[in-house]
């Protein structure tokens, strides 16, 4: 019988909610990831990034971002190095690492993520990334 993910706590800090989504993403636990995001989440991937655009709803993010990353990259990981918190806004400075499946090239690029957390759920995400580094790994 499958175990249920822990229910999010309204008492969690915004940084705790964001950290939970990183853990869930890193482990591939999409049920846990869903507990961290609002049903109407707005997820913005940066211009220049291969998946650039705005995705809405957890299913939209999973199919438009997470599943596409798994198709194109091996070992995609986000290292969430530094958290800066201002009320409901959480900025995370970190790094992406992965190997492009088509070229075999590894990449490690800097990234900043901006989250808005309300009522214990991520309602908005915006990515800022070294897209040139990502694209370099995609070029043979």
């Amino acid at each position: 019988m499958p175990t249920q993910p822990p229910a999010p706590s309204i008492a969690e800090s915004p940084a705790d909610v964001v950290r939970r989504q990183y853990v869930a993403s890193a482990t591939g636990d999409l049920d846990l990831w869903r507990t961290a995001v609002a049903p109407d989440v707005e997820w913005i991937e940066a211009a220049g990034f291969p998946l650039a655009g705005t995705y809405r709803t957890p299913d939209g993010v999973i199919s438009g971002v997470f599943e596409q990353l798994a198709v194109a990259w091996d070992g995609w990981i986000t290292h969430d190095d530094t958290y800066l918190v201002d009320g409901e806004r959480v900025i995370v400075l970190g790094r992406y690492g992965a190997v492009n499946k088509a070229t075999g090239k590894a990449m490690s690029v800097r990234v900043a993520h901006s989250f808005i957390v309300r009522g214990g759920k991520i309602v908005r995400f915006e990515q800022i990334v070294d897209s040139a580094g990502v694209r370099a790994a995609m070029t043979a």
Side-chain angles (χ1 to χ4, degrees), residues 2 4 12 21-22 24 37 51 55-56 64 75 78 80-81 87 116 128 130 133:
Q4 293 297 317
E12 273 185 308
Q21 80 78 40
Y22 280 119
V37 297
L51 302 174
Y55 302 85
R56 289 181 172 80
T78 303
D80 52 331
D81 299 329
I116 302 292
I128 301 161
D130 172 10

Side-chain angles (χ1 to χ4, degrees), residues 105-137:
K105 290 183 180 179
M107 64 99 182
S108 177
V109 299
R110 298 295 296 160
V111 64
H113 291 162
S114 172
F115 296 88
I116 302 292
V117 179
R118 289 189 187 119
K121 299 280 188 177
I122 296 165
V123 297
R124 188 170 193 274
F125 163 88
E126 185 173 359
Q127 172 201 58
I128 301 161
V129 63
D130 172 10
S131 56
V134 176
R135 291 204 174 270

Side-chain angles (χ1 to χ4, degrees), residues 48-62:
F49 189 69
L51 302 174
T54 300
Y55 302 85
R56 289 181 172 80
T57 76
D59 288 340
V61 175
I62 290 168

Side-chain angles (χ1 to χ4, degrees), residues 3-13 16-17 20-21 29 31-37 119-121:
T3 60
Q4 293 297 317
S9 166
I10 215 67
E12 273 185 308
S13 73
D16 290 337
V17 174
R20 178 163 33 100
Q21 80 78 40
D29 187 342
D31 289 334
L32 180 60
W33 181 82
R34 287 174 186 277
T35 69
V37 297
K121 299 280 188 177

